[in-house]
Amino acid sequence: MSLIVAKFGGTSVASPERIKNVAKRLAAMRDAGDQVVAVVSAMGKTTDELMGLAAAVNANPPARELDRLLSTGEQVSMTLLALALEAMGYPAISFTGRQAGIETNGTHNKAKIVKVHNERILKALDEGRIPVVAGFQGIDANGDITTLGRGGSDTTAVAVAWGIGADVCEINSDVDGVYTTDPRVCPRARKLDAVSYDEMLELSSVGSGVLQSRAVEFAKKWGVVIHSRSAFSDKEGTYVKEESPVEQAVITGIAHDTSEMKVTIRHVPDTTGVAAKVFSALAGNMVNMDMIIQNTSLDGATDISFTCPASDLPRAKEALAGVMDEIGAAGIDVDEDVAKVSLVGTGMKSTPGVSAKAFRTMGENNINILAISTSPIRLSMVIEAHEAQRAVQVLHTAFDLDADSVFEETQLSAEEIADKMKKGR
Amino acid sequence: MSLIVAKFGGTSVASPERIKNVAKRLAAMRDAGDQVVAVVSAMGKTTDELMGLAAAVNANPPARELDRLLSTGEQVSMTLLALALEAMGYPAISFTGRQAGIETNGTHNKAKIVKVHNERILKALDEGRIPVVAGFQGIDANGDITTLGRGGSDTTAVAVAWGIGADVCEINSDVDGVYTTDPRVCPRARKLDAVSYDEMLELSSVGSGVLQSRAVEFAKKWGVVIHSRSAFSDKEGTYVKEESPVEQAVITGIAHDTSEMKVTIRHVPDTTGVAAKVFSALAGNMVNMDMIIQNTSLDGATDISFTCPASDLPRAKEALAGVMDEIGAAGIDVDEDVAKVSLVGTGMKSTPGVSAKAFRTMGENNINILAISTSPIRLSMVIEAHEAQRAVQVLHTAFDLDADSVFEETQLSAEEIADKMKKGR
């Protein structure tokens, strides 16, 4: 008998029919002798619709009122799931974030969970009921409703799993696990049986959007085992947990990300303190710079480039406008057509030559590398966006990640794949 | 300076645009120097949609969970209205039923308000804010969310007005007041400046659906003045309050109701205790009998007819099935095509001959009366449904209620009017 927290996202509860299917899944777990707690997101696009309504009446909705509004979405789905379970004869009880004891800090719209008061959930389990918890929300110390930001339901699920000492936290979604790379981009992608927290974090942060980074961080910190699996099939997915002692491949997966842009500041005088001025202005305006490239100085001036998420671009331009004159630069260029391709693997730590092999592979395929950054378990390369798919494919083969069979659902055209990649998927 | 509670129904807050218009109304009241508390229903058809979702996952949703689900509708509209006010520069604060201090009994889906804890609303007013209260909901002594039943937001508004000692409770809706009769049925209907609580109750209970009966009962009990007016125009509507001492017409208004059915039990033995058996079975099964007609006995048996709301018919049949054999009746007939037309007026108490005049009018127009019931200020007649419109019109004229001008918005065909009447409007 296991104690399982099972999270179902918006797509899995988008209609009464799907909610009934989720109820059947939970019922089957109970029938198999497990104890189970469900965590649900709002139905389908509810959160977006509520945001749209708020924006239509107030261009700058105060965060506190907005959180109250958004929190109603999960209150609907949690109640419907509890009703569906009751209809099948399985006693259930729904809990808002408040009732589930999810205590957060006071940062509305992006609150962080600080404590889980587990009494009510444990009591419901003792009574033989299936607790259904609203994801994405909690209350702060003042008793005000807070929300955890996009994808916050994953974090709720991990926090609840930690709070009640669950054996595993299932994240059920419309993907059936973590792959060596996006199967739609590389048809020979393989589903992984397990990845370590650190690998998952590197994969998440560079564009493999299966799990929310914050949820994985939380799981790593508190040792919660995550099982990422399909909400629509019974097949095993991918476990995210501490590194397993068994032999590992050098590279676990390849991620790609086209949501960043490259910004170049032209003809910056190569004087002490100029770069510092630029980067402190950017950091001060909340621009998340990723990679920074400074070319060799020619005639006392140089070009400085950096990459940042496209959403940070307005703030980047604002910050730079304030210092351009002062530093005497010639202007800025923005290149939207870049992609970042990242090799991720704990095995990199103990295996020399990964970078050399990666660069050689890119060179042999005439793919130009614009910038490079590394971590102990990741090697990222910025390239031109139209090369991204080919880069993923040649690296996937070069690092022995190819599956024996071709991913059956991949029948997208090159244009469709490029479009999906462009959307930062 | 007045203290005003202003309630806006689902139609008035059905879209962001309409919510902004409601905000403008409230802002204008503040600008005129009044203090104002808003009470809102759920947007448009939200409550129906939530009920539909619940029914789709559970044919018999437990009342407690259903109340939690339904209460989210007003939480959305209240937040959006507060956001709209804030955007216009008017400090606002939204309150759920719980936060507004609406304490009810524990009868889920049909809870009754037992107390209004006014502290938070008064504090918000003191701080110069516009409190926006979720209608239709409260909490019971266990802290569980309850809802007040259909149209419960009117009751919330009256209860809040009582709780904070407001000067008037505005009920803003898509009708601009109380008319002598439905203007779509009788184009010479007149809007009334004022009606008494008792008249309004009689009009509500017999099909004039402008205000919820429960809200009027509450207002009568606690002396809250209601102002029924249009949400979409600034014109004065109709005040509902204690009888005014000025001279009154004999008849204030004429209501009609086609939502009832006539049930006839054929050939009931005319023995002591038989009728009692029938009616206690019906009452025991929660059938709201309105009028009862027992024909003269022939050969030791009689037909017993009664009217009841169409929604009670399944329960009525169930109750009768249990006693038919026992009492030895021949069977039951159901006549759906009946209508009830009611004359209402406090003036009836002091004016003899109202019934005689009404019956004479019906006779002169060849309208057959199937059953009659009376109260001190009401005379109701059951007739065949297809005669209802003509009956209202001839009575309206006979009792001097006709306006000088014809109601301008009435250009419905006879079929459209009949259809509207059939829907119990």
Side-chain angles (χ1 to χ4, degrees):
Chain A
M1 191 183 102
S2 303
L3 175 54
I4 302 170
V5 172
K7 181 257 175 179
F8 292 89
T11 316
S12 325
V13 295
S15 68
E17 216 43 59
R18 289 189 178 178
I19 288 171
K20 285 197 256 185
N21 281 335
V22 168
K24 279 179 205 156
R25 283 281 283 260
L26 297 168
M29 289 156 87
R30 281 299 303 267
D31 290 347
D34 293 324
Q35 282 195 301
V36 59
V37 177
V39 174
V40 288
S41 302
M43 293 173 74
K45 300 281 173 206
T46 303
T47 305
D48 288 339
E49 287 161 15
L50 291 171
M51 298 269 271
L53 286 171
V57 298
N58 189 324
N60 288 303
R64 182 173 164 276
E65 289 284 335
L66 193 60
D67 274 355
R68 297 182 58 152
L69 179 68
L70 297 182
S71 70
T72 62
E74 285 76 20
Q75 290 173 31
V76 169
S77 52
M78 79 182 190
T79 319
L80 291 174
L81 179 54
L83 287 174
L85 284 163
E86 292 274 351
M88 292 169 61
Y90 291 79
I93 181 168
S94 63
F95 293 116
T96 61
R98 178 195 306 274
Q99 294 168 325
I102 309 291
E103 187 183 326
T104 73
N105 64 11
T107 314
H108 285 286
N109 302 170
K110 276 188 188 175
K112 284 198 159 53
I113 294 175
V114 295
K115 202 167 177 185
V116 177
H117 303 268
N118 61 12
E119 300 81 9
R120 291 185 75 167
I121 296 176
L122 290 177
K123 181 163 173 285
L125 285 169
D126 273 351
E127 293 166 357
R129 301 209 241 184
I130 300 179
V132 180
V133 177
F136 180 65
Q137 58 183 265
I139 51 159
D140 66 14
N142 294 326
D144 284 329
I145 293 172
T146 53
T147 64
L148 311 180
R150 282 282 144 170
S153 294
D154 284 4
T155 309
T156 301
V158 172
V160 168
W162 162 62
I164 64 172
D167 298 295
V168 64
C169 176
E170 281 191 2
I171 305 286
N172 297 275
S173 69
D174 50 359
V175 296
D176 59 0
V178 180
Y179 277 73
T180 50
T181 194
D182 188 336
R184 294 168 308 184
V185 167
C186 179
R188 288 210 177 266
R190 253 191 314 115
K191 190 170 76 181
L192 295 159
D193 294 330
V195 293
S196 70
Y197 296 119
D198 286 332
E199 287 170 333
M200 193 66 231
L201 284 170
E202 291 286 8
L203 288 168
S204 295
S205 67
V206 287
S208 179
V210 179
L211 293 171
Q212 280 299 115
S213 293
R214 278 175 54 202
V216 180
E217 278 165 17
F218 203 112
K220 178 186 176 188
K221 185 169 176 188
W222 300 104
V224 175
V225 175
I226 294 177
H227 184 192
S228 165
R229 64 190 304 186
S230 166
F232 306 107
S233 114
D234 289 335
K235 274 194 287 191
E236 289 269 300
T238 304
Y239 285 87
V240 185
K241 54 186 183 183
E242 280 306 323
E243 294 171 47
S244 52
V246 300
E247 195 182 16
Q248 286 195 297
V250 177
I251 299 299
T252 302
I254 303 175
H256 60 81
D257 179 10
T258 55
S259 68
E260 301 219 337
M261 297 191 166
K262 189 176 78 157
V263 179
T264 303
I265 312 163
R266 278 183 286 107
H267 210 76
V268 182
D270 196 4
T271 325
T272 314
V274 165
K277 230 171 231 157
V278 170
F279 294 122
S280 60
L282 288 164
N285 214 23
M286 310 286 278
V287 177
N288 293 298
M289 286 166 287
D290 183 15
M291 296 186 206
I292 295 164
I293 312 128
Q294 187 160 353
N295 293 342
T296 317
S297 177
L298 293 170
D299 59 47
T302 182
D303 289 351
I304 297 180
S305 298
F306 62 92
T307 61
C308 70
S311 54
D312 287 1
L313 190 63
R315 287 200 300 279
K317 283 182 169 169
E318 193 181 70
L320 292 175
V323 296
M324 291 299 285
D325 280 354
E326 192 187 339
I327 62 174
I332 67 167
D333 293 328
V334 176
D335 183 359
E336 300 184 16
D337 293 323
V338 296
K340 185 164 62 176
V341 173
S342 304
L343 301 175
V344 174
T346 312
M348 284 172 75
K349 283 193 280 196
S350 52
T351 312
V354 170
S355 304
K357 183 171 178 182
F359 300 156
R360 192 170 61 240
T361 305
M362 299 292 261
E364 283 166 3
N365 288 280
N366 297 314
I367 300 170
N368 192 24
I369 301 172
L370 306 176
I372 296 159
S373 76
T374 60
S375 85
I377 65 167
R378 175 178 54 80
L379 166 66
S380 293
M381 294 166 279
V382 174
I383 58 176
E384 289 175 47
H386 73 272
E387 308 270 38
Q389 185 182 3
R390 203 159 54 89
V392 169
Q393 290 175 347
V394 297
L395 289 168
H396 202 265
T397 302
F399 283 93
D400 295 324
L401 294 172
D402 285 357
D404 295 334
S405 61
V406 169
F407 189 71
E408 66 269 19
E409 289 172 35
T410 305
Q411 298 303 334
L412 301 180
S413 70
E415 286 76 19
E416 286 170 318
I417 290 171
D419 187 51
K420 280 190 189 295
M421 292 183 71
K422 194 67 219 160
K423 283 178 185 148
R425 170 60 219 201
Chain B
M1 191 184 103
S2 302
L3 174 54
I4 301 170
V5 171
K7 180 255 172 178
F8 292 89
T11 316
S12 325
V13 294
S15 68
E17 216 43 61
R18 289 190 178 177
I19 288 172
K20 286 198 253 183
N21 282 335
V22 169
K24 280 179 203 155
R25 283 280 284 261
L26 296 168
M29 290 157 86
R30 282 299 302 266
D31 290 347
D34 293 324
Q35 282 194 303
V36 59
V37 177
V39 174
V40 289
S41 302
M43 293 174 75
K45 300 282 172 206
T46 303
T47 305
D48 289 338
E49 287 162 14
L50 291 171
M51 298 268 272
L53 286 172
V57 297
N58 189 324
N60 288 302
R64 181 172 166 277
E65 289 284 336
L66 193 60
D67 275 356
R68 297 181 59 152
L69 180 68
L70 297 182
S71 70
T72 61
E74 286 75 21
Q75 291 174 31
V76 169
S77 52
M78 79 181 191
T79 318
L80 291 174
L81 180 53
L83 287 174
L85 284 163
E86 292 274 350
M88 292 169 61
Y90 291 79
I93 181 167
S94 62
F95 293 116
T96 60
R98 178 195 305 275
Q99 294 168 325
I102 310 291
E103 187 183 325
T104 72
N105 65 12
T107 315
H108 285 287
N109 302 170
K110 277 187 186 175
K112 285 196 159 49
I113 294 174
V114 295
K115 203 168 177 185
V116 177
H117 304 269
N118 61 13
E119 299 80 12
R120 292 184 75 166
I121 296 176
L122 291 177
K123 179 161 175 284
L125 286 169
D126 273 353
E127 293 166 356
R129 301 208 241 183
I130 301 179
V132 180
V133 177
F136 178 64
Q137 59 183 262
I139 51 158
D140 67 14
N142 294 328
D144 283 329
I145 293 173
T146 53
T147 65
L148 311 180
R150 282 282 145 171
S153 294
D154 284 6
T155 308
T156 301
V158 172
V160 168
W162 162 62
I164 64 172
D167 298 295
V168 64
C169 176
E170 281 190 2
I171 306 285
N172 297 275
S173 70
D174 50 358
V175 296
D176 59 0
V178 181
Y179 277 74
T180 50
T181 194
D182 187 337
R184 293 168 309 182
V185 167
C186 179
R188 289 210 177 264
R190 254 189 315 115
K191 191 171 74 184
L192 296 159
D193 293 331
V195 293
S196 70
Y197 296 119
D198 287 332
E199 288 170 333
M200 192 66 230
L201 284 170
E202 292 285 9
L203 288 168
S204 296
S205 67
V206 288
S208 179
V210 178
L211 293 172
Q212 281 299 115
S213 294
R214 279 175 54 202
V216 179
E217 278 164 18
F218 203 111
K220 179 186 174 187
K221 185 169 178 188
W222 300 105
V224 175
V225 175
I226 293 177
H227 183 191
S228 164
R229 64 189 306 187
S230 167
F232 306 107
S233 115
D234 289 334
K235 275 194 288 190
E236 290 269 299
T238 303
Y239 284 87
V240 185
K241 54 187 181 181
E242 277 308 322
E243 294 170 46
S244 51
V246 300
E247 193 181 17
Q248 288 194 298
V250 177
I251 299 299
T252 302
I254 302 176
H256 60 82
D257 180 9
T258 55
S259 68
E260 300 220 336
M261 296 189 168
K262 190 176 76 156
V263 179
T264 302
I265 311 163
R266 278 182 286 108
H267 211 74
V268 182
D270 196 5
T271 325
T272 314
V274 166
K277 230 170 231 160
V278 170
F279 295 123
S280 59
L282 288 164
N285 215 22
M286 309 285 278
V287 176
N288 293 298
M289 287 164 285
D290 183 15
M291 296 185 207
I292 295 164
I293 312 127
Q294 186 161 353
N295 292 342
T296 317
S297 175
L298 290 169
D299 59 46
T302 183
D303 290 352
I304 297 178
S305 297
F306 63 92
T307 61
C308 71
S311 54
D312 288 0
L313 190 63
R315 287 200 299 279
K317 284 183 168 169
E318 192 180 71
L320 292 174
V323 294
M324 289 300 285
D325 281 353
E326 192 186 339
I327 62 173
I332 67 168
D333 293 330
V334 177
D335 183 0
E336 301 185 16
D337 292 323
V338 297
K340 185 165 60 176
V341 173
S342 303
L343 300 174
V344 173
T346 312
M348 284 172 74
K349 282 193 279 198
S350 52
T351 312
V354 169
S355 304
K357 185 173 177 178
F359 300 157
R360 193 170 59 241
T361 305
M362 300 291 261
E364 283 167 4
N365 287 280
N366 297 314
I367 300 170
N368 191 25
I369 302 173
L370 305 176
I372 296 159
S373 76
T374 60
S375 86
I377 65 167
R378 175 177 54 81
L379 168 65
S380 293
M381 294 166 281
V382 174
I383 59 177
E384 289 174 45
H386 73 274
E387 308 270 39
Q389 184 181 4
R390 205 159 53 87
V392 169
Q393 290 175 346
V394 297
L395 289 166
H396 202 265
T397 303
F399 283 92
D400 296 326
L401 294 171
D402 284 358
D404 295 335
S405 62
V406 169
F407 189 73
E408 66 266 21
E409 289 172 35
T410 305
Q411 297 301 335
L412 302 180
S413 69
E415 286 75 19
E416 287 171 318
I417 291 170
D419 186 51
K420 280 190 188 298
M421 293 182 70
K422 195 65 221 160
K423 284 179 185 147
R425 170 65 214 195

